[in-house]
Amino acid sequence: MTPLRLAILIIALLLGGHAAAQSQPIPVPDPPQLGADGYILMDFHSGRVLVDQNSDVRRDPASITKVMTAFVVFNELRSGDLTMDEPVRISEKAWRAPGSRMFIEVGNDIPVTDLIRGMIIQSGNDASIALAEHIAGSESTFAALMNQYAAELGMTNTHYTNATGLPGDEHYSTAADTARLVQALIERFPDYYRLYSEREFTWGGITQSNRNRMLWQDPSVDGVKTGYTEAAQYCLATSAERDGMRLISVVMGAETPEQRVSQSKSLLNYGYRFFETHRLYAADEPVETPRLWKGVADTLPVGVAEDVFITLPADTYDQLDARIRLNEPLEAPVAAGDRVGRLSVSRNDEVVRERDIIALETVPEAGFVGRTIDTVRLWLN
């Protein structure tokens, strides 16, 4: 081999080795260590927790409480028991509410839509109390509603005594519970959730900016809520979406408003840099069409009841192995929604997601002749 050919071969091997190295998955470093008391980073679609530090420790949630207040209000709107243009009479208690305010006046009739914006954008304690009293008759009764929804969502370390987030001995939540709440709010009320991205609101000639400064500093951020009391320090629940991947971060107990923003940025950037989320299967779409015996149809489309998402380290999607095990033989009658098998998704021989496989159609039994023929075929098989 001539020296020139040898040199070309060496260069080709070096370049090939470099390309192979570039195609390797990005190593996932340890998550950022923040100065806040507790924090969490979670993927919205898959629910996977990517960063967790004291996220189940009960803390004063401050005005992040108003996320649950809004959750209850949105449920009332969706059920038709409340409308956006419905007038709300302002009580003296609401008018006298301490802390952040929308500056509504006692005795006035204010539309629900304006009170919601005053609560979300201006973090108005007065607006929160007005909505609570209008829906439940009193703030304490409304707090009982809040606790019912918290239990429904599995927020086992949360208890509310008011609709505002003002301190109370039995008023507490956690970063993990707050992330679950934000996930549920976005999932159930996507149209109302858009209110959290509005940057300012004017009422009574007074314009107030949204306290969530992330809306100005990161174009992918579209919510959610800040909070502050002396006991809670500075808190921030954030949600952002980049290229179809939505993350939720919650920071509780930061020392300054600037730190809650910078710490939230660190969490989001870590998640987007080192992880990716994929939808593996769509709800109600066939993943297989296996043989069905003794039915009026010979095949049965099967799939999953809900979208199946998975969050994994970046560039490791090709390491996934999905397997479907059906309850064979499948025999009619089958009703849509019946469990007929199990989906198992693994990575490097570790199961990372499991879901039921269900029938996507209802198939009645065949007549006597058809059932008899299939019985014989099954016996022969």
Side-chain angles (χ1 to χ4, degrees):
M1 180 180 293
T2 66
L4 177 59
R5 287 184 177 273
L6 179 61
I8 292 174
L9 178 60
I10 292 174
I11 292 173
L13 289 172
L14 290 174
L15 290 176
H18 177 70
Q22 290 295 318
S23 66
Q24 294 300 310
I26 302 172
V28 178
D30 292 336
Q33 298 297 305
L34 310 180
D37 293 334
Y39 49 90
I40 192 171
L41 177 69
M42 183 180 79
D43 182 84
F44 166 76
H45 287 108
S46 70
R48 178 175 174 180
V49 173
L50 306 179
V51 182
D52 183 346
Q53 180 67 33
N54 298 325
S55 69
D56 284 323
V57 177
R58 295 176 178 179
R59 305 185 188 281
D60 184 334
S63 282
I64 289 181
T65 296
K66 295 184 178 82
V67 178
M68 178 57 87
T69 305
F71 189 92
V72 178
V73 173
F74 295 161
N75 264 292
E76 294 293 308
L77 288 167
R78 187 175 66 176
S79 68
D81 293 330
L82 190 69
T83 63
M84 278 292 201
D85 57 358
E86 187 172 324
V88 175
R89 179 63 56 90
I90 305 305
S91 70
E92 184 171 350
K93 179 184 177 180
W95 173 63
R96 291 185 178 277
S100 53
R101 304 181 65 195
M102 176 184 170
F103 298 107
I104 50 182
E105 296 293 335
V106 64
N108 285 358
D109 291 326
I110 311 298
V112 167
T113 183
D114 291 323
L115 290 173
I116 290 175
R117 284 181 164 83
M119 173 180 65
I120 290 175
I121 301 168
Q122 300 172 338
S123 197
N125 291 338
D126 49 0
S128 302
I129 293 174
L131 286 166
E133 292 178 334
H134 183 72
I135 290 171
S138 70
E139 187 179 10
S140 60
T141 303
F142 186 85
L145 275 178
M146 297 168 70
N147 289 322
Q148 289 178 14
Y149 283 114
E152 174 197 323
L153 296 175
M155 299 169 61
T156 56
N157 287 306
T158 294
H159 186 265
Y160 300 108
T161 59
N162 61 65
T164 62
L166 291 172
D169 291 341
E170 295 301 315
H171 191 90
Y172 54 80
S173 189
T174 67
D177 279 359
T178 299
R180 294 188 191 99
L181 172 59
V182 170
Q183 181 187 38
L185 185 139
I186 297 172
E187 183 176 57
R188 297 190 189 186
F189 313 110
D191 292 337
Y192 297 135
Y193 174 69
R194 296 188 181 100
L195 294 168
Y196 285 93
S197 64
E198 295 186 11
R199 295 187 177 186
E200 64 179 28
F201 179 61
T202 300
W203 179 260
I206 302 173
T207 299
Q208 297 186 65
S209 294
N210 196 315
R211 287 168 165 76
N212 183 4
R213 308 317 295 175
M214 290 284 284
L215 294 175
W216 282 265
Q217 299 186 29
D218 185 337
S220 69
V221 170
D222 51 18
V224 182
K225 192 72 188 72
T226 62
Y228 171 79
T229 64
E230 186 175 350
Q233 293 299 295
Y234 294 92
C235 307
L236 178 59
T238 306
S239 185
E241 186 174 31
R242 302 179 190 174
D243 298 325
M245 181 179 179
R246 178 174 289 278
L247 295 178
I248 297 168
S249 69
V250 180
V251 171
M252 302 184 78
E255 294 183 356
T256 68
E258 292 78 18
Q259 285 183 6
R260 71 182 173 192
V261 169
S262 63
Q263 291 167 0
S264 298
K265 285 182 178 179
S266 295
L267 290 174
L268 292 175
N269 289 335
Y270 173 80
Y272 284 119
R273 178 68 180 89
F274 297 108
F275 294 89
E276 58 190 26
T277 296
H278 295 270
R279 186 176 72 167
L280 302 183
Y281 300 98
D284 300 323
E285 292 188 5
V287 297
E288 283 191 12
T289 307
R291 179 72 163 90
L292 180 67
W293 302 91
K294 303 181 184 180
V296 297
D298 292 333
T299 58
L300 176 71
V302 300
V304 290
E306 298 178 349
D307 290 349
V308 177
F309 288 91
I310 189 166
T311 302
L312 63 163
D315 301 323
T316 61
Y317 180 73
D318 58 356
Q319 298 176 2
L320 293 179
D321 178 32
R323 297 188 179 185
I324 294 175
R325 294 178 175 85
L326 297 174
N327 304 331
E328 294 182 324
L330 294 176
E331 297 184 14
V334 179
D338 284 354
R339 181 184 181 277
V340 296
R342 190 72 171 167
L343 166 70
S344 177
V345 182
S346 59
R347 174 174 171 262
N348 296 332
D349 297 325
E350 177 185 357
V351 175
V352 293
R353 182 73 77 225
E354 287 188 303
R355 288 291 184 272
D356 283 341
I357 294 294
I358 63 169
L360 298 181
E361 293 180 0
T362 295
V363 181
E365 277 187 321
F368 174 77
V369 174
R371 296 198 309 273
T372 302
I373 292 173
D374 275 358
T375 299
V376 173
R377 286 174 175 171
L378 279 171
W379 181 77
L380 291 174
N381 286 340

